[in-house]
Each structure stands twice: as C-alpha cells, then as structure tokens.
Amino acid sequence: MSMKILMVLTSHDRLGDTGNPTGFWLEEFAAPYYVFADAGAEITLASPAGGQPPLDPKSDEPDAQTEATKRFQADEAAEALLANTVKLADVSAEDFDAVFYPGGHGPMWDLPDNETSIALIEKFLAAGKPIGAVCHAPAALVNVRTQDGASFVAGKRVTGFSNSEEAGVGLTDVVPFLLQDRLIERGGGYGRAEDWAPHVEVDGRLVTGQNPASSAPAAQELLALLR
C-alpha cells in the first residue's frame, strides 16, 4: 500500500531573547523519518519558510545521538531532502494520507499561531486523516479548531513536553508558554510518563508523543492508523 506522509518542521531558530539558537530536534525528525521510510512511505518535508530548517545544535551533540541520528548523518539523500523543504503554504492536505510534526523548541514560537499550519491541520482533521506530533510540536495543535469551532484537543487524550522536563532543561521562563499547561487549558486530557521516558497518547486519529524518546513510538502509532 502506498502512503504519502507530510512532515512539517519549524523555521524558528532563536530561543526567545536569550540569543541562543534553537530549531528542530534531530532525533525527533530522524527517528520518525526512518519509521516512515522503512515502511515504504513517500515522505515530503515542509516548513513555514521552506528550504533548510534550523537544527537545534544541542540535538547534534554526541550525547544526543541515536541510531536514527547516525543513520541520517550518513544518508545524503535524506540530508538533501531536509535542505530543501517545501514551503508550507505550497502543500495541500489533499495530497497526503497523514501529517507528522517533529519537535524541538522552535515549534513553540512559529507554529501555534501559524494560520497556514492551523488551516492545514484542520483540513487533515476534516478529512479524517491521521495527525501526529511529538515533544514540543503539539504546540501546533493548541489553536486548531474542529468544524464546529471547538478546540481540537478538548476532550482528547494528549501529551507533549512536560512542565518538569521544561524545568529540567532550564527553559521554563524562556518558552512563550508551558506546553503541558496550554494543552490542559485547551481542554486536553494530558497524560505523561516519568521525565524522558517514552510515552504516546492515541485518541482517534490523533497521535502525540511526550519527548524525544517518544519519537519512534509515535511514528509507529501513526503508521498503525494508516494501515
């Protein structure tokens, strides 16, 4: 069965007003990418600005490496794909079977209020197509609404980077909001595991993962919905 999966990355590269760089988290892109690719999916990468999305340099450090990140770094075709993401405004939900948003801190700034991203997710939602997001990327869901105008996450089991994990990386006062709090404010039934342990919530066609360790499991759950 042929599957077309859209992966949407951040274009935001600054950690608030700290002057420090941020972007997408390598593991949260690479692990799902290979889950999808190894299943034979046709993958399109997109970002708000198009082109090369910013990589959070911390996710490229030796202690952040995994089998998936090492595989990506040796994969010239995947690196070329990443360097040339499609502009988000140029993609159409009709062309894909599912959408997946990798995390990193960048999405906290450029995705919650991005009207193009919100409209895209709402089209996937209306079409009954699977929607996935991991770690900070559920921030892209907080202003999405259902066709009757309700918050998309209201009454749904969801997860995402926890308040204690944010405190653990020392960015509680840097991020524009705490994702766990915002998901709860929007009516989501927030679930979590211990800090840094894998945890995925699946509710209908929505799949969310808590943190980097949840990246591959979340992608596998999204694939299960497609099959």
Side-chain angles (χ1 to χ4, degrees):
M1 137 183 197
S2 71
M3 297 173 284
K4 292 185 175 180
I5 299 177
L6 176 65
M7 295 182 75
V8 179
L9 295 110
T10 182
S11 293
H12 186 86
D13 67 355
R14 290 286 121 189
L15 209 48
D17 52 15
T18 64
N20 296 324
T22 191
F24 73 93
W25 196 259
L26 186 55
E27 161 73 0
E28 295 170 27
F29 162 71
Y33 178 85
Y34 288 114
V35 168
F36 300 147
D38 291 346
E42 183 184 323
I43 303 165
T44 297
L45 306 182
S47 63
Q52 175 75 54
L55 172 67
D56 188 317
K58 287 193 171 176
S59 72
D60 209 17
E61 290 176 357
D63 65 349
Q65 299 310 306
T66 64
E67 289 308 311
T69 64
K70 291 173 191 168
R71 183 176 171 188
F72 173 74
Q73 285 152 351
D75 186 341
E76 289 181 9
E79 288 193 329
L81 202 62
L82 182 67
N84 294 283
T85 66
V86 180
K87 210 168 181 179
L88 196 55
D90 295 336
V91 300
S92 169
E94 288 77 31
D95 296 334
F96 300 95
D97 301 305
V99 64
F100 188 92
Y101 282 71
H105 276 87
M108 293 288 288
W109 278 272
D110 70 341
L111 291 177
D113 300 309
N114 185 300
E115 291 181 5
T116 305
S117 175
I118 291 169
L120 183 78
I121 295 170
E122 287 175 349
K123 282 178 182 155
F124 275 93
L125 175 61
K129 295 176 178 179
I131 298 161
V134 69
C135 200
H136 286 93
L141 308 173
V142 299
N143 293 319
V144 173
R145 300 201 163 271
T146 62
Q147 285 174 301
D148 61 5
S151 167
F152 172 34
V153 300
K156 284 199 157 33
R157 295 191 314 278
V158 290
T159 190
F161 206 59
S162 67
N163 290 355
S164 55
E165 287 168 324
E166 202 69 81
V169 296
L171 293 173
T172 299
D173 297 326
V174 173
V175 289
F177 55 87
L178 290 171
L179 182 56
Q180 176 180 337
D181 289 353
R182 185 61 53 89
L183 289 168
I184 293 168
E185 284 164 15
R186 293 290 191 265
Y190 180 85
R192 55 162 299 175
E194 294 299 308
D195 287 1
W196 316 113
H199 181 74
V200 177
E201 294 281 355
V202 182
D203 194 320
R205 311 297 277 173
L206 176 63
V207 177
T208 48
Q210 182 178 327
N211 47 32
S214 311
S215 304
Q220 286 154 355
E221 292 288 356
L222 190 83
L223 266 188
L225 292 176
L226 284 172
R227 288 169 167 152

